[in-house]
Amino acid sequence: MSGEEEENAAELKIGEEFLKAKCLMNCEVAIILDHKFEQIQQHASSESDPSSQVSQVFEKSMQYVKRFSRYKNPDAVRQVRETLSRYGLAEFELCTLGNLCPDTSGEAAALVPSLKSAGRFVGDAGNDRIDKMLNDLSLIKKFE
Amino acid sequence: MDSLSQPPSKRPLSSSATDFREVSLASPPAADDEGERSKMFFHIVLERNMQLHPRHFGPHLRDKLVSKLIKDVEGTCSGRHGFVVAITGVEDVGKGLIREGTGYVTFPVKYQCVVFRPFKGEILEAVVTMVNKMGFFAEAGPVQIFVSNHLIPDDMEFQSGDVPNYTTSDGSVKIQKESEVRLKIIGTRVDATEIFCIGTIKDDFLGVISDPGAAV
C-alpha cells in the first residue's frame, strides 16, 4: 500500500507527458467525442464491422461530459477559452473555471485556490477582476 | 458586452513554443500545492511500440497499424496516464524493427489521445450511483469516487428505506442515487489497470448541485 502511495505522490509532480499535454474542458471533450462517435457510426454502417464498437470507457466519458457541459455550442466553447485565456490563467485553472462556472469571486477562489496564491488576483482589485471574468463567462452562456 | 465583440486575443505563446501542445503548460503556475495544478481531461501525446505480423505488410500497413492501435489502447487504463478515452490522431510512425526469430516487426507509434486522469485536490462534478450507511459512491465518467460518511457534512444524516439517502435535519438538501454533487478528490489509488478515488463534500462550495426529485 505504501509503495502505491509513493508512486502516486511522485505522479502528482506531473510526468513529462503531462507537461506537454493540453487540458480540456468538459465541453471540449464533448465535441471531440461526439465527432469521433459519428465517425465510428459511419464506419460501422458502411462496413458492418462488429469490432468497431465503442469502449465502455468511451461511452461513460461521453455520458459524463454531456451531462456536465455548461456550453453546448462549439462557438461558445471557443469563446470561453479565448475569454479566460485573456486573464493569464494556467491551463488547469482555465478548465476548472470553465467546467464549474462559479458565481462569485469567493466561490472561484475557493475552488481554484491557486488563483490567489500566484499573486495575480490580489485584494479587492483582484476580486473585481475575477468577478469581471465570471461575468464575461455568464454573458457567453446567456447569448449562446 | 464588449468582451463578445473583441477580436480573439492571442494566447500567450512562449517564444520557443512552436507546437500548440507545448504552449499549454509552458509556464507552469507557481502553485505550491501540486494537487491543484491538474484537471481531469488531457489531450496528450503518447508513444507505444506496436508489433505487427508480416501478413499485414503492404500498401495498407499504416491503416492496419492504426486500427490495431485503436483496438489495443482505447478504453484501457494505466496508472500513469489514466483512462485512454479516444485516440484523435497518429502523429508519427517510426522505422520498424524486425524481431529476430518471429518475423514480427515493431513500430514505434506516436499518437494523440484524450485521457481521463483524476488528481488529488481537484474539484469536479459527479453523479451519485449508490448510497449506504458508510457513505456514497459517485461516478465521474469511468472513475468511481467514494465519499465516506466522515466526509459528508455533520448535519446530514443517513436515512435508510426504499431510496437510501443523506438528508439535512431540515430536509432542504438531500443526496440520493442520481443526485449531482460537486466534490473534491482527496486521495487516489492508482494501480496498473484501475483508478479509484476518495472524495469529500465537507468544504466550502461543495455538495449537491441538483437532486433528481427536484429537477424532474
Side-chain angles (χ1 to χ4, degrees), chain B residues 50-58 61 64-65 68 102-107:
Chain B
M50 299 288 303
Q51 296 216 18
L52 204 62
H53 192 276
R55 70 165 173 269
H56 300 303
F57 298 169
L61 190 148
K64 275 282 174 222
L65 212 55
K68 187 173 187 312
T102 62
Y104 275 82
V105 170
T106 308
F107 293 95

Side-chain angles (χ1 to χ4, degrees), chain A residues 1 4-5 7-9 11-26 29 32-33 36 39-40 49 51 53-65 67-70 79 81-83 85-96 99-104 106-108 110-114 117-118 120 132 135-137 139-140 143, chain B residues 1-4 6-12 20-32 34-46 70-71 74-76 79-88 114-121 123-127 139-144 178-182 184 187-191 204-206 209-210:
Chain A
M1 192 62 200
E4 280 172 13
E5 286 293 323
E7 193 191 350
N8 180 13
E11 282 192 357
L12 284 180
K13 283 179 192 129
I14 291 211
E16 215 175 293
E17 298 91 337
F18 284 105
L19 278 177
K20 280 190 192 168
K22 185 179 155 77
C23 244
L24 296 172
M25 286 184 281
N26 285 346
V29 178
I32 294 175
L33 294 191
K36 177 107 185 165
Q39 278 183 341
I40 292 172
D49 181 3
S51 71
Q53 283 202 339
V54 295
S55 67
Q56 206 194 355
V57 171
F58 187 96
E59 210 167 286
K60 285 204 160 172
S61 305
M62 189 140 122
Q63 278 172 6
Y64 174 70
V65 293
R67 185 161 187 170
F68 291 105
S69 282
R70 295 298 154 91
Q79 272 182 3
R81 190 170 268 277
E82 276 165 9
T83 307
S85 55
R86 272 207 291 276
Y87 288 87
L89 297 174
E91 279 273 316
F92 76 95
E93 295 169 331
L94 190 156
C95 291
T96 311
N99 279 345
L100 300 175
C101 288
D103 295 322
T104 63
E107 189 179 358
L111 298 177
V112 192
S114 58
S117 67
R120 285 160 299 172
K132 167 112 173 39
N135 192 30
D136 288 353
L137 280 189
L139 279 176
I140 297 173
F143 289 105
Chain B
M1 281 296 274
D2 58 331
S3 65
L4 292 176
Q6 274 175 19
S9 66
K10 259 197 116 61
R11 304 185 54 206
F20 81 100
R21 274 178 313 284
E22 289 175 16
V23 177
S24 52
L25 284 175
S27 53
D32 32 3
E34 295 285 352
E36 302 296 350
R37 65 162 58 170
S38 9
K39 212 20 227 150
M40 273 276 179
F41 285 100
F42 289 93
H43 199 207
I44 194 175
V45 180
L46 296 179
I70 289 173
K71 210 180 271 176
E74 266 186 21
T76 61
R80 198 174 160 80
H81 300 114
F83 293 90
V84 179
V85 178
I87 291 175
T88 55
V114 176
V115 297
F116 188 76
R117 172 79 157 88
F119 283 94
K120 212 160 129 182
I123 291 167
L124 61 115
E125 290 156 332
V127 182
E139 216 173 56
V143 177
Q144 288 264 335
E178 289 296 308
S179 292
E180 292 175 3
V181 292
R182 183 188 279 174
K184 181 171 176 177
T188 56
R189 195 195 69 204
V190 179
D191 52 32
D204 293 346
F205 301 106
L206 301 180
I209 40 183
S210 86

Side-chain angles (χ1 to χ4, degrees), chain B residues 6-210:
Chain B
Q6 274 175 19
S9 66
K10 259 197 116 61
R11 304 185 54 206
L13 287 167
S14 74
S15 55
S16 63
T18 51
D19 186 324
F20 81 100
R21 274 178 313 284
E22 289 175 16
V23 177
S24 52
L25 284 175
S27 53
D32 32 3
D33 185 351
E34 295 285 352
E36 302 296 350
R37 65 162 58 170
S38 9
K39 212 20 227 150
M40 273 276 179
F41 285 100
F42 289 93
H43 199 207
I44 194 175
V45 180
L46 296 179
E47 203 171 338
R48 185 183 170 87
N49 285 326
M50 299 288 303
Q51 296 216 18
L52 204 62
H53 192 276
R55 70 165 173 269
H56 300 303
F57 298 169
H60 301 298
L61 190 148
R62 196 188 154 97
D63 293 349
K64 275 282 174 222
L65 212 55
V66 172
S67 62
K68 187 173 187 312
L69 176 76
I70 289 173
K71 210 180 271 176
D72 283 4
V73 174
E74 266 186 21
T76 61
C77 169
S78 77
R80 198 174 160 80
H81 300 114
F83 293 90
V84 179
V85 178
I87 291 175
T88 55
V90 174
E91 281 208 330
D92 180 47
V93 178
K95 284 214 168 78
L97 196 74
I98 300 175
R99 320 247 335 158
E100 269 176 56
T102 62
Y104 275 82
V105 170
T106 308
F107 293 95
V109 182
K110 262 193 186 162
Y111 58 97
Q112 303 164 355
C113 57
V114 176
V115 297
F116 188 76
R117 172 79 157 88
F119 283 94
K120 212 160 129 182
E122 178 185 332
I123 291 167
L124 61 115
E125 290 156 332
V127 182
V128 175
T129 52
M130 191 173 78
V131 179
N132 60 33
K133 69 177 193 308
M134 312 288 289
F136 65 84
F137 285 89
E139 216 173 56
V143 177
Q144 288 264 335
I145 302 154
F146 177 68
V147 179
S148 141
N149 59 9
H150 297 292
L151 297 169
I152 295 171
D154 295 330
D155 62 336
M156 296 191 89
E157 287 278 335
F158 177 68
Q159 319 274 334
S160 58
D162 234 10
V163 186
N165 61 72
Y166 281 87
T167 313
T168 51
S169 48
D170 61 354
S172 61
V173 182
K174 193 185 244 182
I175 296 174
Q176 63 190 55
K177 195 172 185 288
E178 289 296 308
S179 292
E180 292 175 3
V181 292
R182 183 188 279 174
L183 49 83
K184 181 171 176 177
I185 292 179
I186 53 169
T188 56
R189 195 195 69 204
V190 179
D191 52 32
T193 57
E194 204 182 27
I195 297 180
F196 187 81
C197 298
I198 302 290
T200 177
I201 56 168
K202 212 176 185 176
D203 211 340
D204 293 346
F205 301 106
L206 301 180
V208 180
I209 40 183
S210 86

